[in-house]
Amino acid sequence: LFIIDEAHKRRAKLLEWMDDNPNDRYIGFTATPFYSWMGKYYTALVKSRPQSWLIENGRLSPYEIYAPTVPDLSGVKTRMGEYVESDLEAVMGDYKVVGDIIGNWLEKGEDRLTMVLCVNCDHANFVCVEFCKANVSAEVITAKTPIEERHRIFKRLRDGITKVIVSVDCLTEGFDEPKISCLINARPTKSMARWHQGFGRAIRYLPGKTAIIFDHSG
């Protein structure tokens, strides 16, 4: 019996194993079963409680969501069903767009512990620098950040020393820090799964918490 978390992730070696061992049993868990290829590997879908039930019964925190600005993505090309990263960075890395993100948080972010989802490392570093220029303590985590340094950053975040953590994709799924109560989505995507997974980082349950989501992704 294999129990697979984040089962929506298309892990090539795992799927090869499943193809080669069809008589084994597999149970996959995911909050976002939105991919048609999953039907080839999983023969049934068992739905859990809806998000509304999870919120009402203290499994997830309630939230308020705002769209302070909507980016102009008319010139952004797509490839294999997703926005082209270089085009996307050109739009989201524009000084005015980043300035809107920082300004909105300063006005409405309530000084909360915050996560920002960015397009790529250059975009993340730019957003982090702009937060720091505004005297907001911010740090970046990317796929290249060593595990030991990540733990130090997480501790500074939990201790309130770091106010904003900026990332690309490496914290979008599976990262649970209930003290984060504000999410800034600055990474437009055509993937429903990616959007929902990022959104979920801010609604991990904490008694009395109501999360704020600032969606700058359109």
mmCIF file of all heavy atoms in Angstrom, residues 75-118:
data_model
loop_
_atom_site.group_PDB
_atom_site.id
_atom_site.type_symbol
_atom_site.label_atom_id
_atom_site.label_comp_id
_atom_site.label_asym_id
_atom_site.label_seq_id
_atom_site.Cartn_x
_atom_site.Cartn_y
_atom_site.Cartn_z
ATOM 1 N N GLY A 75 -0.387 41.139 -23.439
ATOM 2 C CA GLY A 75 0.779 40.843 -24.269
ATOM 3 C C GLY A 75 1.592 39.655 -23.805
ATOM 4 O O GLY A 75 2.648 39.356 -24.383
ATOM 5 N N VAL A 76 1.110 38.955 -22.780
ATOM 6 C CA VAL A 76 1.852 37.813 -22.236
ATOM 7 C C VAL A 76 1.497 36.548 -23.010
ATOM 8 O O VAL A 76 0.331 36.160 -23.080
ATOM 9 C CB VAL A 76 1.537 37.620 -20.738
ATOM 10 C CG1 VAL A 76 2.274 36.395 -20.192
ATOM 11 C CG2 VAL A 76 1.925 38.865 -19.949
ATOM 12 N N LYS A 77 2.500 35.918 -23.613
ATOM 13 C CA LYS A 77 2.269 34.700 -24.385
ATOM 14 C C LYS A 77 2.113 33.498 -23.446
ATOM 15 O O LYS A 77 2.500 33.550 -22.270
ATOM 16 C CB LYS A 77 3.428 34.466 -25.354
ATOM 17 C CG LYS A 77 3.571 35.543 -26.423
ATOM 18 C CD LYS A 77 4.624 35.199 -27.440
ATOM 19 C CE LYS A 77 6.031 35.273 -26.872
ATOM 20 N NZ LYS A 77 6.423 36.649 -26.554
ATOM 21 N N THR A 78 1.551 32.432 -23.982
ATOM 22 C CA THR A 78 1.412 31.183 -23.231
ATOM 23 C C THR A 78 2.154 30.067 -23.953
ATOM 24 O O THR A 78 2.337 30.102 -25.175
ATOM 25 C CB THR A 78 -0.063 30.781 -23.057
ATOM 26 O OG1 THR A 78 -0.651 30.591 -24.349
ATOM 27 C CG2 THR A 78 -0.838 31.856 -22.298
ATOM 28 N N ARG A 79 2.605 29.101 -23.159
ATOM 29 C CA ARG A 79 3.284 27.931 -23.704
ATOM 30 C C ARG A 79 2.898 26.726 -22.855
ATOM 31 O O ARG A 79 3.024 26.759 -21.630
ATOM 32 C CB ARG A 79 4.802 28.121 -23.700
ATOM 33 C CG ARG A 79 5.579 26.956 -24.319
ATOM 34 C CD ARG A 79 7.077 27.172 -24.187
ATOM 35 N NE ARG A 79 7.519 28.388 -24.853
ATOM 36 C CZ ARG A 79 8.267 29.327 -24.277
ATOM 37 N NH1 ARG A 79 8.636 29.195 -23.007
ATOM 38 N NH2 ARG A 79 8.624 30.396 -24.950
ATOM 39 N N MET A 80 2.396 25.676 -23.491
ATOM 40 C CA MET A 80 1.984 24.454 -22.798
ATOM 41 C C MET A 80 0.990 24.761 -21.669
ATOM 42 O O MET A 80 1.070 24.226 -20.559
ATOM 43 C CB MET A 80 3.208 23.700 -22.239
ATOM 44 C CG MET A 80 4.182 23.233 -23.306
ATOM 45 S SD MET A 80 5.628 22.397 -22.645
ATOM 46 C CE MET A 80 4.859 20.925 -21.930
ATOM 47 N N GLY A 81 0.056 25.685 -21.974
ATOM 48 C CA GLY A 81 -1.020 25.964 -21.043
ATOM 49 C C GLY A 81 -0.671 26.871 -19.884
ATOM 50 O O GLY A 81 -1.487 27.049 -18.976
ATOM 51 N N GLU A 82 0.519 27.510 -19.914
ATOM 52 C CA GLU A 82 0.908 28.408 -18.832
ATOM 53 C C GLU A 82 1.576 29.637 -19.416
ATOM 54 O O GLU A 82 2.089 29.622 -20.536
ATOM 55 C CB GLU A 82 1.858 27.679 -17.868
ATOM 56 C CG GLU A 82 2.287 28.480 -16.629
ATOM 57 C CD GLU A 82 1.127 28.984 -15.777
ATOM 58 O OE1 GLU A 82 0.424 29.910 -16.257
ATOM 59 O OE2 GLU A 82 0.940 28.470 -14.663
ATOM 60 N N TYR A 83 1.536 30.736 -18.656
ATOM 61 C CA TYR A 83 2.172 31.965 -19.120
ATOM 62 C C TYR A 83 3.676 31.769 -19.286
ATOM 63 O O TYR A 83 4.317 31.070 -18.485
ATOM 64 C CB TYR A 83 1.928 33.097 -18.123
ATOM 65 C CG TYR A 83 0.498 33.571 -18.042
ATOM 66 C CD1 TYR A 83 -0.232 33.466 -16.862
ATOM 67 C CD2 TYR A 83 -0.130 34.143 -19.162
ATOM 68 C CE1 TYR A 83 -1.546 33.910 -16.784
ATOM 69 C CE2 TYR A 83 -1.441 34.588 -19.092
ATOM 70 C CZ TYR A 83 -2.143 34.469 -17.898
ATOM 71 O OH TYR A 83 -3.445 34.900 -17.827
ATOM 72 N N VAL A 84 4.255 32.412 -20.301
ATOM 73 C CA VAL A 84 5.703 32.389 -20.512
ATOM 74 C C VAL A 84 6.354 33.240 -19.421
ATOM 75 O O VAL A 84 6.011 34.419 -19.251
ATOM 76 C CB VAL A 84 6.061 32.907 -21.918
ATOM 77 C CG1 VAL A 84 7.583 33.038 -22.072
ATOM 78 C CG2 VAL A 84 5.481 31.974 -22.981
ATOM 79 N N GLU A 85 7.287 32.651 -18.697
ATOM 80 C CA GLU A 85 7.845 33.299 -17.503
ATOM 81 C C GLU A 85 8.482 34.648 -17.815
ATOM 82 O O GLU A 85 8.287 35.620 -17.079
ATOM 83 C CB GLU A 85 8.870 32.382 -16.843
ATOM 84 C CG GLU A 85 9.451 32.937 -15.558
ATOM 85 C CD GLU A 85 10.479 32.011 -14.935
ATOM 86 O OE1 GLU A 85 10.085 30.936 -14.439
ATOM 87 O OE2 GLU A 85 11.677 32.361 -14.957
ATOM 88 N N SER A 86 9.262 34.731 -18.899
ATOM 89 C CA SER A 86 9.952 35.990 -19.211
ATOM 90 C C SER A 86 8.945 37.106 -19.498
ATOM 91 O O SER A 86 9.140 38.250 -19.074
ATOM 92 C CB SER A 86 10.895 35.792 -20.399
ATOM 93 O OG SER A 86 10.177 35.306 -21.529
ATOM 94 N N ASP A 87 7.859 36.782 -20.214
ATOM 95 C CA ASP A 87 6.823 37.780 -20.481
ATOM 96 C C ASP A 87 6.141 38.195 -19.186
ATOM 97 O O ASP A 87 5.843 39.379 -18.970
ATOM 98 C CB ASP A 87 5.772 37.210 -21.441
ATOM 99 C CG ASP A 87 6.286 37.043 -22.851
ATOM 100 O OD1 ASP A 87 7.450 37.384 -23.105
ATOM 101 O OD2 ASP A 87 5.518 36.563 -23.706
ATOM 102 N N LEU A 88 5.893 37.212 -18.346
ATOM 103 C CA LEU A 88 5.195 37.477 -17.093
ATOM 104 C C LEU A 88 6.035 38.358 -16.171
ATOM 105 O O LEU A 88 5.527 39.285 -15.530
ATOM 106 C CB LEU A 88 4.867 36.155 -16.402
ATOM 107 C CG LEU A 88 3.739 36.138 -15.373
ATOM 108 C CD1 LEU A 88 2.450 36.658 -15.982
ATOM 109 C CD2 LEU A 88 3.554 34.718 -14.840
ATOM 110 N N GLU A 89 7.344 38.084 -16.128
ATOM 111 C CA GLU A 89 8.223 38.898 -15.274
ATOM 112 C C GLU A 89 8.257 40.347 -15.756
ATOM 113 O O GLU A 89 8.302 41.277 -14.950
ATOM 114 C CB GLU A 89 9.635 38.329 -15.260
ATOM 115 C CG GLU A 89 10.556 39.087 -14.309
ATOM 116 C CD GLU A 89 12.026 38.831 -14.560
ATOM 117 O OE1 GLU A 89 12.353 38.003 -15.424
ATOM 118 O OE2 GLU A 89 12.860 39.493 -13.895
ATOM 119 N N ALA A 90 8.227 40.541 -17.083
ATOM 120 C CA ALA A 90 8.253 41.906 -17.625
ATOM 121 C C ALA A 90 7.062 42.713 -17.146
ATOM 122 O O ALA A 90 7.171 43.914 -16.872
ATOM 123 C CB ALA A 90 8.299 41.850 -19.144
ATOM 124 N N VAL A 91 5.909 42.052 -17.008
ATOM 125 C CA VAL A 91 4.704 42.744 -16.546
ATOM 126 C C VAL A 91 4.735 42.918 -15.032
ATOM 127 O O VAL A 91 4.577 44.031 -14.512
ATOM 128 C CB VAL A 91 3.438 41.967 -16.964
ATOM 129 C CG1 VAL A 91 2.193 42.582 -16.314
ATOM 130 C CG2 VAL A 91 3.289 41.958 -18.484
ATOM 131 N N MET A 92 4.942 41.818 -14.300
ATOM 132 C CA MET A 92 4.846 41.867 -12.841
ATOM 133 C C MET A 92 6.050 42.533 -12.194
ATOM 134 O O MET A 92 5.984 42.971 -11.044
ATOM 135 C CB MET A 92 4.657 40.454 -12.286
ATOM 136 C CG MET A 92 3.401 39.746 -12.778
ATOM 137 S SD MET A 92 1.881 40.701 -12.547
ATOM 138 C CE MET A 92 1.791 40.779 -10.747
ATOM 139 N N GLY A 93 7.163 42.604 -12.921
ATOM 140 C CA GLY A 93 8.361 43.250 -12.393
ATOM 141 C C GLY A 93 8.437 44.734 -12.701
ATOM 142 O O GLY A 93 9.434 45.387 -12.366
ATOM 143 N N ASP A 94 7.399 45.260 -13.324
ATOM 144 C CA ASP A 94 7.341 46.690 -13.615
ATOM 145 C C ASP A 94 7.315 47.483 -12.298
ATOM 146 O O ASP A 94 6.675 47.074 -11.326
ATOM 147 C CB ASP A 94 6.094 46.997 -14.437
ATOM 148 C CG ASP A 94 5.947 48.476 -14.744
ATOM 149 O OD1 ASP A 94 6.601 48.940 -15.684
ATOM 150 O OD2 ASP A 94 5.179 49.144 -14.018
ATOM 151 N N TYR A 95 8.005 48.608 -12.267
ATOM 152 C CA TYR A 95 8.110 49.394 -11.032
ATOM 153 C C TYR A 95 6.741 49.792 -10.487
ATOM 154 O O TYR A 95 6.512 49.769 -9.285
ATOM 155 C CB TYR A 95 8.960 50.647 -11.286
ATOM 156 C CG TYR A 95 10.441 50.411 -11.151
ATOM 157 C CD1 TYR A 95 11.220 50.151 -12.280
ATOM 158 C CD2 TYR A 95 11.061 50.414 -9.908
ATOM 159 C CE1 TYR A 95 12.580 49.912 -12.161
ATOM 160 C CE2 TYR A 95 12.418 50.186 -9.784
ATOM 161 C CZ TYR A 95 13.174 49.926 -10.908
ATOM 162 O OH TYR A 95 14.516 49.682 -10.782
ATOM 163 N N LYS A 96 5.829 50.162 -11.383
ATOM 164 C CA LYS A 96 4.507 50.592 -10.909
ATOM 165 C C LYS A 96 3.745 49.432 -10.279
ATOM 166 O O LYS A 96 3.102 49.593 -9.237
ATOM 167 C CB LYS A 96 3.701 51.191 -12.060
ATOM 168 C CG LYS A 96 2.343 51.744 -11.594
ATOM 169 C CD LYS A 96 1.564 52.341 -12.745
ATOM 170 C CE LYS A 96 0.280 53.017 -12.235
ATOM 171 N NZ LYS A 96 -0.581 52.106 -11.455
ATOM 172 N N VAL A 97 3.826 48.252 -10.912
ATOM 173 C CA VAL A 97 3.119 47.080 -10.378
ATOM 174 C C VAL A 97 3.669 46.711 -9.007
ATOM 175 O O VAL A 97 2.912 46.490 -8.048
ATOM 176 C CB VAL A 97 3.227 45.891 -11.352
ATOM 177 C CG1 VAL A 97 2.618 44.635 -10.725
ATOM 178 C CG2 VAL A 97 2.520 46.202 -12.671
ATOM 179 N N VAL A 98 4.987 46.658 -8.900
ATOM 180 C CA VAL A 98 5.603 46.324 -7.598
ATOM 181 C C VAL A 98 5.294 47.417 -6.582
ATOM 182 O O VAL A 98 5.018 47.139 -5.416
ATOM 183 C CB VAL A 98 7.121 46.114 -7.758
ATOM 184 C CG1 VAL A 98 7.787 45.914 -6.391
ATOM 185 C CG2 VAL A 98 7.406 44.915 -8.656
ATOM 186 N N GLY A 99 5.320 48.677 -7.030
ATOM 187 C CA GLY A 99 4.982 49.772 -6.121
ATOM 188 C C GLY A 99 3.560 49.656 -5.596
ATOM 189 O O GLY A 99 3.297 49.932 -4.413
ATOM 190 N N ASP A 100 2.639 49.223 -6.457
ATOM 191 C CA ASP A 100 1.258 49.008 -6.017
ATOM 192 C C ASP A 100 1.172 47.912 -4.967
ATOM 193 O O ASP A 100 0.407 48.017 -3.998
ATOM 194 C CB ASP A 100 0.367 48.644 -7.210
ATOM 195 C CG ASP A 100 0.092 49.828 -8.130
ATOM 196 O OD1 ASP A 100 0.305 50.976 -7.684
ATOM 197 O OD2 ASP A 100 -0.320 49.606 -9.283
ATOM 198 N N ILE A 101 1.955 46.853 -5.152
ATOM 199 C CA ILE A 101 1.953 45.740 -4.197
ATOM 200 C C ILE A 101 2.432 46.219 -2.828
ATOM 201 O O ILE A 101 1.806 45.949 -1.799
ATOM 202 C CB ILE A 101 2.848 44.597 -4.726
ATOM 203 C CG1 ILE A 101 2.182 43.921 -5.934
ATOM 204 C CG2 ILE A 101 3.131 43.571 -3.617
ATOM 205 C CD1 ILE A 101 3.087 42.963 -6.666
ATOM 206 N N ILE A 102 3.546 46.957 -2.830
ATOM 207 C CA ILE A 102 4.107 47.445 -1.566
ATOM 208 C C ILE A 102 3.158 48.459 -0.930
ATOM 209 O O ILE A 102 2.856 48.395 0.270
ATOM 210 C CB ILE A 102 5.487 48.086 -1.786
ATOM 211 C CG1 ILE A 102 6.429 47.146 -2.545
ATOM 212 C CG2 ILE A 102 6.090 48.500 -0.449
ATOM 213 C CD1 ILE A 102 6.698 45.822 -1.894
ATOM 214 N N GLY A 103 2.666 49.401 -1.728
ATOM 215 C CA GLY A 103 1.799 50.447 -1.195
ATOM 216 C C GLY A 103 0.509 49.899 -0.612
ATOM 217 O O GLY A 103 0.052 50.344 0.451
ATOM 218 N N ASN A 104 -0.077 48.920 -1.292
ATOM 219 C CA ASN A 104 -1.314 48.326 -0.790
ATOM 220 C C ASN A 104 -1.082 47.626 0.544
ATOM 221 O O ASN A 104 -1.888 47.739 1.468
ATOM 222 C CB ASN A 104 -1.868 47.333 -1.812
ATOM 223 C CG ASN A 104 -3.136 46.659 -1.318
ATOM 224 O OD1 ASN A 104 -4.206 47.248 -1.290
ATOM 225 N ND2 ASN A 104 -3.019 45.396 -0.905
ATOM 226 N N TRP A 105 0.035 46.903 0.651
ATOM 227 C CA TRP A 105 0.323 46.202 1.906
ATOM 228 C C TRP A 105 0.558 47.196 3.043
ATOM 229 O O TRP A 105 0.068 47.003 4.159
ATOM 230 C CB TRP A 105 1.530 45.296 1.759
ATOM 231 C CG TRP A 105 1.749 44.421 2.966
ATOM 232 C CD1 TRP A 105 1.227 43.183 3.196
ATOM 233 C CD2 TRP A 105 2.549 44.737 4.117
ATOM 234 N NE1 TRP A 105 1.637 42.697 4.416
ATOM 235 C CE2 TRP A 105 2.454 43.633 5.009
ATOM 236 C CE3 TRP A 105 3.331 45.825 4.482
ATOM 237 C CZ2 TRP A 105 3.107 43.604 6.236
ATOM 238 C CZ3 TRP A 105 3.987 45.798 5.707
ATOM 239 C CH2 TRP A 105 3.866 44.702 6.577
ATOM 240 N N LEU A 106 1.290 48.282 2.766
ATOM 241 C CA LEU A 106 1.543 49.281 3.801
ATOM 242 C C LEU A 106 0.234 49.908 4.279
ATOM 243 O O LEU A 106 0.070 50.200 5.472
ATOM 244 C CB LEU A 106 2.473 50.370 3.263
ATOM 245 C CG LEU A 106 3.922 49.950 3.001
ATOM 246 C CD1 LEU A 106 4.673 51.068 2.290
ATOM 247 C CD2 LEU A 106 4.632 49.570 4.293
ATOM 248 N N GLU A 107 -0.726 50.073 3.358
ATOM 249 C CA GLU A 107 -1.991 50.707 3.702
ATOM 250 C C GLU A 107 -2.966 49.737 4.364
ATOM 251 O O GLU A 107 -3.663 50.094 5.326
ATOM 252 C CB GLU A 107 -2.640 51.286 2.442
ATOM 253 C CG GLU A 107 -3.961 51.996 2.708
ATOM 254 C CD GLU A 107 -4.605 52.523 1.435
ATOM 255 O OE1 GLU A 107 -3.950 52.495 0.369
ATOM 256 O OE2 GLU A 107 -5.769 52.964 1.506
ATOM 257 N N LYS A 108 -3.004 48.479 3.891
ATOM 258 C CA LYS A 108 -4.071 47.566 4.297
ATOM 259 C C LYS A 108 -3.591 46.237 4.872
ATOM 260 O O LYS A 108 -4.403 45.406 5.270
ATOM 261 C CB LYS A 108 -4.990 47.292 3.106
ATOM 262 C CG LYS A 108 -5.628 48.544 2.533
ATOM 263 C CD LYS A 108 -6.412 48.241 1.261
ATOM 264 C CE LYS A 108 -7.007 49.512 0.664
ATOM 265 N NZ LYS A 108 -7.672 49.259 -0.637
ATOM 266 N N GLY A 109 -2.271 46.030 4.921
ATOM 267 C CA GLY A 109 -1.753 44.743 5.367
ATOM 268 C C GLY A 109 -1.729 44.545 6.862
ATOM 269 O O GLY A 109 -1.449 43.442 7.333
ATOM 270 N N GLU A 110 -1.997 45.599 7.620
ATOM 271 C CA GLU A 110 -2.132 45.519 9.082
ATOM 272 C C GLU A 110 -0.885 44.963 9.768
ATOM 273 O O GLU A 110 -0.968 44.396 10.848
ATOM 274 C CB GLU A 110 -3.352 44.665 9.435
ATOM 275 C CG GLU A 110 -4.663 45.184 8.875
ATOM 276 C CD GLU A 110 -5.840 44.267 9.155
ATOM 277 O OE1 GLU A 110 -5.637 43.190 9.757
ATOM 278 O OE2 GLU A 110 -6.974 44.638 8.766
ATOM 279 N N ASP A 111 0.266 45.110 9.114
ATOM 280 C CA ASP A 111 1.539 44.670 9.701
ATOM 281 C C ASP A 111 1.534 43.176 10.012
ATOM 282 O O ASP A 111 2.214 42.711 10.917
ATOM 283 C CB ASP A 111 1.847 45.468 10.965
ATOM 284 C CG ASP A 111 3.344 45.541 11.243
ATOM 285 O OD1 ASP A 111 4.108 45.637 10.277
ATOM 286 O OD2 ASP A 111 3.734 45.484 12.421
ATOM 287 N N ARG A 112 0.778 42.410 9.245
ATOM 288 C CA ARG A 112 0.661 40.966 9.472
ATOM 289 C C ARG A 112 1.883 40.221 8.944
ATOM 290 O O ARG A 112 2.575 40.690 8.035
ATOM 291 C CB ARG A 112 -0.584 40.420 8.760
ATOM 292 C CG ARG A 112 -1.913 40.914 9.317
ATOM 293 C CD ARG A 112 -3.040 40.444 8.432
ATOM 294 N NE ARG A 112 -4.352 40.797 8.966
ATOM 295 C CZ ARG A 112 -5.328 39.921 9.182
ATOM 296 N NH1 ARG A 112 -5.151 38.635 8.897
ATOM 297 N NH2 ARG A 112 -6.494 40.309 9.667
ATOM 298 N N LEU A 113 2.108 39.011 9.491
ATOM 299 C CA LEU A 113 3.090 38.116 8.891
ATOM 300 C C LEU A 113 2.548 37.699 7.530
ATOM 301 O O LEU A 113 1.418 37.230 7.408
ATOM 302 C CB LEU A 113 3.318 36.895 9.770
ATOM 303 C CG LEU A 113 3.957 37.143 11.136
ATOM 304 C CD1 LEU A 113 4.267 35.817 11.819
ATOM 305 C CD2 LEU A 113 5.225 37.983 11.017
ATOM 306 N N THR A 114 3.381 37.870 6.496
ATOM 307 C CA THR A 114 2.889 37.814 5.120
ATOM 308 C C THR A 114 3.781 36.948 4.247
ATOM 309 O O THR A 114 5.002 36.922 4.411
ATOM 310 C CB THR A 114 2.833 39.242 4.535
ATOM 311 O OG1 THR A 114 1.918 40.026 5.312
ATOM 312 C CG2 THR A 114 2.396 39.243 3.078
ATOM 313 N N MET A 115 3.164 36.249 3.300
ATOM 314 C CA MET A 115 3.899 35.547 2.256
ATOM 315 C C MET A 115 3.556 36.177 0.918
ATOM 316 O O MET A 115 2.396 36.497 0.653
ATOM 317 C CB MET A 115 3.557 34.056 2.227
ATOM 318 C CG MET A 115 4.260 33.297 1.092
ATOM 319 S SD MET A 115 3.767 31.549 0.977
ATOM 320 C CE MET A 115 4.618 30.912 2.398
ATOM 321 N N VAL A 116 4.571 36.346 0.071
ATOM 322 C CA VAL A 116 4.380 36.879 -1.277
ATOM 323 C C VAL A 116 4.796 35.809 -2.281
ATOM 324 O O VAL A 116 5.893 35.244 -2.178
ATOM 325 C CB VAL A 116 5.218 38.151 -1.520
ATOM 326 C CG1 VAL A 116 4.835 38.781 -2.860
ATOM 327 C CG2 VAL A 116 5.057 39.145 -0.390
ATOM 328 N N LEU A 117 3.931 35.530 -3.245
ATOM 329 C CA LEU A 117 4.232 34.572 -4.306
ATOM 330 C C LEU A 117 4.630 35.334 -5.554
ATOM 331 O O LEU A 117 3.872 36.175 -6.038
ATOM 332 C CB LEU A 117 3.005 33.702 -4.588
ATOM 333 C CG LEU A 117 2.437 32.941 -3.387
ATOM 334 C CD1 LEU A 117 1.190 32.157 -3.792
ATOM 335 C CD2 LEU A 117 3.481 32.022 -2.781
ATOM 336 N N CYS A 118 5.823 35.041 -6.077
ATOM 337 C CA CYS A 118 6.384 35.797 -7.198
ATOM 338 C C CYS A 118 6.614 34.916 -8.422
ATOM 339 O O CYS A 118 6.504 33.686 -8.365
ATOM 340 C CB CYS A 118 7.690 36.457 -6.774
ATOM 341 S SG CYS A 118 7.458 37.794 -5.578
#
